[in-house]
Amino acid sequence: MRYALILSLAVLLVGCFEEPTLTWTTDVELRQSIENVRESLPDSQQVIFMDAIHLYQTANDPAPKPSFDHIEDVVERIEAKRDAYDFVADMLEAYPHSQISIEDLRGKTGEQILEAYSSVIKEREAHVAEIKAFEIELKEALKTIDSDYQTTYDSLILLKEKTTVPAFVERIEASLDNAVYFHNTRLVKSYNPKIEAALDADDFEHAYQLAKELEGAVMGESFNIFSYRYDQALKKYPAWKEGQEYLQNYVEITEFTTRRIDTYRRDNAPAIRIAARNNGDRTINDLTVTVYLKDAEGKRIHEEKIFLATDNPYIYDKPPLKPGYVFEMEADHYRIVKQPLNAWKTGSAEYEVTEIELAPNE
């Protein structure tokens, strides 16, 4: 009897000294159980315990921003500026870390809860370290984007092959897209002045070649080359080439004379007569001839542009040249040069058809 009493007392005492565990069926019981478990721990561990409870209770909330110093934005040249603090926080939200909830702590003692919490913290610190390492690698890959696009592109591809984290892959793909866009816009910006210079010099063939070079250098199939000069180069060359071929085969300059004449206003004025015929089957909307007057040494000293045909409604006396039509000046009428051109060797001149535009081929 005495032995049984001692044994019962021992069992009762052991029960009294058992560590409390987290158990509950209602929120009120959960709060009370948390308090009981917290009080079972030393004072030095109670704050950490409450941090653990908070983490497990808010695991489905957006991940808190990590408490480390700001670091340089990983894509500062290709995205709106924002600090890497936000970048890493956003990456943590998308990082495929282990899911946790308060249910994971059911039946655990305070020590066991602290161990579980420590494990989660280590995992998340490892994730932060991995994200920061990835950021550094991505920044390194993007360093040459301003000077060597291909190196940047190849580096990003290699970086993409090294990771299987979906958030990282998505980030690299976005960087690739932006790198392609900025590479292409820089190309357009560098080609525009050269194309413009060729167009201004009426060198439509060279302008077209430059535009095609630009097309070949642009990366990606969906990029739209937004450039007025580029569009002009592509449109003008085919029309120019068609006009040049038609000029060579079907346009005939039937008269070309230069001399000095006396007019009722001036004596000895330089004068030009010119005529043309359209021997082809297309209407010529615009036909411009430039006449160059030369000195005794054969050097050009003056030029006159003469419209032989135009579709400009304000120039009514020089309509487009239809197939078989001619342009001729009236008898004894000349194009009078305003300058006296004393250095001009009378009769020394040459002409060039400097503009021809055909009507659309119906």
Side-chain angles (χ1 to χ4, degrees):
M1 179 69 179
R2 185 176 181 182
Y3 175 76
L5 181 61
I6 294 174
L7 181 60
S8 298
L9 183 60
V11 170
L12 179 62
L13 289 173
V14 170
C16 291
F17 289 103
E18 278 186 358
E19 290 188 64
T21 60
L22 203 61
T23 56
W24 73 95
T25 55
T26 66
D27 289 344
V28 173
E29 291 179 358
L30 174 60
R31 286 194 293 272
Q32 185 58 55
S33 184
I34 289 172
E35 184 62 20
N36 293 339
V37 175
R38 182 183 70 81
E39 291 179 351
S40 72
L41 293 169
D43 291 345
S44 60
Q45 294 181 332
Q46 290 185 11
V47 173
I48 301 174
F49 170 79
M50 293 308 296
D51 289 341
I53 294 298
H54 177 74
L55 177 62
Y56 277 82
Q57 284 184 317
T58 60
N60 293 324
D61 295 342
K65 293 181 179 181
S67 57
F68 46 81
D69 294 337
H70 288 206
I71 47 182
E72 189 175 358
D73 182 24
V74 70
V75 284
E76 58 185 344
R77 285 183 298 276
I78 62 174
E79 284 188 339
K81 282 192 174 181
R82 62 179 186 138
D83 58 54
Y85 188 74
D86 288 336
F87 164 74
V88 177
D90 292 342
M91 293 294 280
L92 273 175
E93 289 185 33
Y95 199 100
H97 51 67
S98 301
Q99 298 299 308
I100 60 174
S101 73
I102 194 67
E103 283 293 334
D104 298 337
L105 303 183
R106 185 181 289 277
K108 292 185 182 296
T109 65
E111 291 293 337
Q112 291 170 334
I113 290 172
L114 291 177
E115 288 177 8
Y117 175 63
S118 176
S119 177
V120 168
I121 292 301
K122 287 179 180 178
E123 178 191 44
R124 294 199 171 193
E125 286 177 348
H127 294 167
V128 169
E130 187 174 357
I131 290 169
K132 291 175 71 174
F134 164 78
E135 181 200 23
I136 292 171
E137 289 191 68
L138 183 54
K139 183 184 175 185
E140 287 298 315
L142 292 167
K143 272 186 175 178
T144 58
I145 191 171
D146 290 324
S147 57
D148 184 357
Y149 167 77
Q150 194 60 52
T151 298
T152 302
Y153 190 87
D154 292 343
S155 297
L156 288 170
I157 292 296
L158 289 175
L159 184 55
K160 182 179 176 181
E161 292 174 354
K162 287 170 58 178
T163 182
T164 57
V165 178
F168 292 176
V169 173
E170 182 180 344
R171 189 71 171 182
I172 295 169
E173 288 176 348
S175 297
L176 281 168
D177 290 342
N178 284 316
V180 168
Y181 175 80
F182 278 86
H183 167 72
N184 289 341
T185 53
R186 280 192 298 274
L187 273 177
V188 173
K189 186 176 180 180
S190 67
Y191 267 86
N192 267 342
K194 293 182 283 187
I195 294 174
E196 183 174 4
L199 289 171
D200 290 344
D202 292 337
D203 190 351
F204 302 116
E205 184 172 9
H206 184 48
Y208 181 82
Q209 290 172 347
L210 288 170
K212 299 305 285 186
E213 276 184 24
L214 174 58
E215 275 186 7
V218 160
M219 299 292 294
E221 298 179 358
S222 61
F223 181 79
N224 180 30
I225 301 176
F226 186 74
S227 165
Y228 171 69
R229 289 301 191 176
Y230 162 80
D231 291 338
Q232 269 193 318
L234 291 183
K235 291 176 182 177
K236 284 205 168 190
Y237 174 68
W240 173 83
K241 185 178 181 182
E242 182 183 45
Q244 293 300 307
E245 291 174 351
Y246 192 87
L247 172 65
Q248 187 72 23
N249 295 314
Y250 302 111
V251 178
E252 177 185 2
I253 302 300
T254 56
E255 179 185 4
F256 176 62
T257 303
T258 58
R259 52 178 296 193
R260 290 185 180 273
I261 64 171
D262 296 333
T263 70
Y264 72 93
R265 290 184 177 181
R266 296 168 54 194
D267 291 336
N268 210 30
I272 303 167
R273 277 184 64 83
I274 193 164
R277 182 184 183 94
N278 179 4
N279 294 318
D281 58 0
R282 300 279 300 277
T283 296
I284 303 174
N285 275 349
D286 287 287
L287 184 64
T288 304
V289 173
T290 302
V291 176
Y292 302 96
L293 304 182
K294 300 186 288 186
D295 61 14
E297 296 179 358
K299 296 179 180 179
R300 294 176 177 178
I301 60 171
H302 182 75
E303 65 182 60
E304 288 281 320
K305 284 190 175 183
I306 303 175
F307 298 104
L308 307 188
T310 178
D311 61 355
N312 187 331
Y314 298 103
I315 304 178
Y316 62 89
D317 59 339
K318 297 175 182 177
L321 280 182
K322 297 179 180 180
Y325 278 38
V326 299
F327 167 85
E328 294 177 346
M329 293 180 173
E330 295 180 43
D332 298 326
H333 278 62
Y334 289 82
R335 167 70 172 267
I336 305 301
V337 178
K338 293 181 179 180
Q339 298 183 45
L341 294 183
N342 295 322
W344 177 47
K345 179 182 177 182
T346 303
S348 179
E350 60 187 359
Y351 68 86
E352 180 181 347
V353 177
T354 49
E355 186 172 344
I356 180 171
E357 181 181 317
L358 302 177
N361 198 358
E362 298 179 354

